[in-house]
């Protein structure tokens, strides 16, 4: 038996769930499938301990999806982005530059939330939408498209006919592979560690990125807990170094992160388990095909620098939603999907290239090049129009 729907979303990660909420809130019928049931508690096995910083251009689509009012009470504001170059002979700050959101507007750069909590609130919102069905433990098994619809076979044997198929199923996207869309992948020999810490010195709603060699070490503010300031940490380095650190006893690990953070927030206490993943940059050759659109990591992957990843995914969602609402009678037709590709692909390419350059600069080990990196940061920051231009580009506003 074949079921029909306006939109089938393959992938129920944060991006896919946000898309289900947004299209459902706009009145479209939606089915969202995800082979790995979402974990919605911090301490549960398999919980995603990473955090997501929503930059303020992403907020309107979350509001339209009925999500932001759920998320805002749990969010930590990001008022200042601080860059610390500690690339001298000793691991200590030698250049510290603050990029303050107040230079642009009366809003913070964004707001930070844990990924497990995002899944919890997004699933709760889906529960309020009678036109949205979420199928955990079910994946996409086959895809056949034709001019009028996408025919999708699910892993539980169901067959779905959808006017639009959205591939939001990650860097190894089944939808992308089924439609033979090639990708270009860059590998860095790096991994990233994600975890949470408490610290005695308040973070002051400042996100701090330390540069020495191997990759950045970044504090992102979290709400205080048990009377102590907390931050999420993403620590990028050569893969062998990340593997070595994951095997350290807690005291040894805390000593290393204290040195790497130059003690700026005082002694750090690990308050979560560690998770790691390999760092790549990847971009699909095309973001759309017959009755199909790629979004999020199915379309683009980049190192976790500058809070670009999910915010680019929400820019994908915003573009798709705008086009769908502008002409709902022709949802998923060739004109809509060609327009989506044109609207997003150049911006995606530019941001992937920019983050690639920033990541390669953060990996630098040779002392003369580290000195050049610090001098470049100092020079760029010192010219106010350039500084403001970099901030606008970073958060995606003109």
């Amino acid at each position: 038996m074949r079921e029909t729907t306006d939109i089938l979303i393959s992938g129920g990660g944060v991006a896919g769930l946000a898309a289900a909420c947004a299209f459902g809130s706009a009145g479209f019928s939606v089915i969202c499938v995800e082979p790995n049931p979402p974990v919605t508690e911090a301490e549960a096995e398999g919980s995603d301990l990473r955090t997501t910083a929503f930059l303020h251009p992403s907020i309107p689509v979350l509001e339209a999806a009925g999500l932001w009012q759920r998320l805002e009470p749990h969010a930590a504001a990001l008022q200042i982005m601080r860059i610390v170059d500690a690339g001298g002979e000793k691991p200590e700050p030698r250049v510290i530059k603050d990029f303050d959101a107040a230079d642009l507007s009366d809003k913070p750069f964004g707001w930070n939330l844990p990924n497990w909590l995002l899944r919890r609130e997004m699933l709760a919102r889906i529960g309020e939408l009678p036109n949205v069905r979420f199928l955990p433990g079910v994946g996409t098994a086959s895809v056949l498209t034709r001019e009028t619809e996408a025919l999708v076979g699910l892993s539980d044997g169901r067959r779905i006919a959808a006017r639009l198929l959205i591939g939001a199923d990650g860097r190894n996207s089944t939808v992308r592979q089924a439609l033979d869309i090639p990708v270009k992948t860059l590998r860095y020999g790096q991994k990233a560690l994600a975890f949470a810490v408490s610290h005695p010195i308040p973070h002051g709603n400042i996100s701090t990125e330390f540069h020495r060699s191997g990759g950045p070490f970044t504090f992102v503010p979290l709400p205080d807990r048990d009377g102590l300031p907390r931050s999420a940490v993403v620590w990028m380095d050569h893969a062998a170094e990340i593997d070595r650190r994951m095997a350290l006893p807690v005291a040894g690990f805390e000593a290393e992160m204290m040195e790497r953070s130059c003690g700026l927030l005082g002694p750090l206490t690990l308050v979560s388990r560690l998770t790691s993943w390999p760092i790549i940059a990847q971009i699909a050759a095309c973001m759309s095909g017959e009755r199909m659109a790629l979004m999020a990591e199915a379309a683009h992957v980049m190192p976790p620098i500058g809070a670009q990843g999910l915010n680019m995914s929400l820019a994908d969602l915003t573009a798709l939603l705008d086009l769908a609402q502008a002409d709902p009678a022709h949802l998923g037709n060739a004109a809509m999907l060609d327009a989506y590709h044109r609207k997003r692909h150049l911006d995606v390419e530019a941001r992937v290239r920019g983050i690639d350059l920033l990541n390669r600069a953060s990996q630098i080990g040779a002392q003369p090049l580290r000195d050049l990196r610090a001098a470049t940061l100092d020079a760029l920051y010192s010219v106010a129009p350039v500084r403001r231009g970099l901030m606008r580009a970073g958060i995606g506003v003109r």
Side-chain angles (χ1 to χ4, degrees):
M1 181 179 174
R2 181 185 298 174
E3 300 178 54
T4 61
T5 187
D6 290 330
I7 299 167
L8 176 68
I9 300 169
S10 180
V14 172
L17 293 175
C21 294
F23 281 101
S25 296
F28 295 96
S29 61
V30 180
I31 297 173
C32 179
V33 299
E34 170 52 51
N36 302 304
V39 179
T40 57
E41 296 179 8
E43 307 305 324
E45 183 68 27
S47 177
D48 185 352
L49 298 180
R50 294 172 296 174
T51 64
T52 292
F54 290 111
L55 303 179
H56 68 74
S58 294
I59 303 306
V61 74
L62 296 175
E63 290 176 333
L67 287 170
W68 186 237
Q69 52 268 51
R70 287 182 165 275
L71 299 174
E72 188 177 17
H74 306 286
L78 309 178
Q79 182 63 34
I80 293 173
M81 302 290 192
R82 175 171 289 164
I83 307 296
V84 177
D85 190 281
E89 296 291 345
K90 297 180 179 179
E92 55 190 31
R94 57 178 182 167
V95 178
I96 300 177
K97 299 298 181 184
D98 286 355
F99 295 83
D100 193 334
D103 289 347
L104 299 181
S105 73
D106 59 356
K107 299 178 181 177
F109 285 115
W111 295 264
N112 196 47
L113 292 119
N115 284 4
W116 63 265
L117 185 142
L118 293 176
R119 287 178 169 86
R120 184 188 76 191
E121 296 303 318
M122 288 173 175
L123 288 173
R125 173 59 180 153
I126 285 174
E128 298 173 344
L129 296 167
N131 51 326
V132 179
R133 279 189 293 156
F134 178 61
L135 304 180
V138 178
T140 299
S142 65
V143 178
L144 174 66
T145 64
R146 53 195 188 191
E147 189 176 346
T148 57
E149 62 190 359
L151 300 174
V152 183
L154 302 183
S155 60
D156 64 357
R158 272 183 270 201
R159 290 167 56 84
I160 309 294
R163 296 166 66 199
L164 173 63
L165 169 62
I166 297 177
D169 47 352
R171 58 183 66 184
N172 299 313
S173 169
T174 299
V175 170
R176 190 187 66 229
Q177 293 173 24
L179 296 172
D180 292 323
I181 296 175
V183 293
K184 179 181 180 182
T185 304
L186 302 173
R187 303 187 186 279
Y188 302 97
Q190 289 171 299
K191 288 185 177 180
L193 266 179
F195 52 94
V197 295
S198 63
H199 39 82
I201 299 173
H203 50 60
N205 292 329
I206 299 171
S207 179
T208 305
E209 196 170 273
F210 297 85
H211 293 266
R212 186 162 171 79
S213 64
F217 178 105
T218 307
F219 286 121
V220 188
L222 290 173
D224 292 359
R225 187 168 170 184
D226 299 328
L228 282 174
R230 288 196 174 203
S231 294
V233 177
V234 177
W235 190 351
M236 293 168 56
D237 207 338
H238 304 298
E241 279 295 288
I242 294 295
D243 291 342
R244 179 187 65 80
R245 291 190 185 108
M246 288 195 75
L248 288 173
V250 170
F253 183 82
E254 289 179 340
E256 289 205 13
M257 63 176 171
M258 178 68 173
E259 179 184 38
R260 189 67 176 79
S261 66
C262 305
L264 247 61
L265 295 181
L268 305 176
T269 301
L270 184 66
V271 295
S272 75
R273 58 187 173 84
L274 307 175
T275 58
S276 73
W277 70 98
I279 298 300
I280 64 169
Q282 183 169 280
I283 185 167
C286 187
M287 290 181 65
S288 66
E290 188 176 60
R291 290 286 159 182
M292 183 279 306
L294 297 178
M295 65 172 286
E297 287 203 342
H300 44 74
V301 183
M302 66 190 67
I305 295 174
Q308 294 298 301
L310 191 67
N311 288 281
M312 285 178 60
S313 304
L314 292 178
D316 300 341
L317 173 56
T318 299
L320 266 179
L321 186 63
D322 287 348
L323 289 164
Q325 290 182 296
D327 190 5
H330 295 102
L331 174 72
N333 72 0
M336 172 191 163
L337 292 170
D338 288 346
Y340 170 64
H341 171 79
R342 290 194 306 271
K343 191 167 186 177
R344 290 297 302 136
H345 202 248
L346 285 176
D347 179 63
V348 166
E349 286 184 315
R351 288 182 183 276
V352 170
R353 282 197 299 268
I355 295 297
D356 172 65
L357 289 172
L358 289 173
N359 188 38
R360 293 186 189 280
S362 78
Q363 287 185 278
I364 289 169
Q367 190 61 56
L369 293 176
R370 285 170 20 187
D371 293 343
L372 177 61
R373 181 183 66 199
T376 301
L377 170 63
D378 200 26
L380 290 174
Y381 182 88
S382 299
V383 181
V386 174
R387 182 173 71 250
R388 288 193 292 271
L390 289 171
M391 288 192 285
R392 289 192 188 97
I395 62 174
V397 298
R398 298 184 185 278

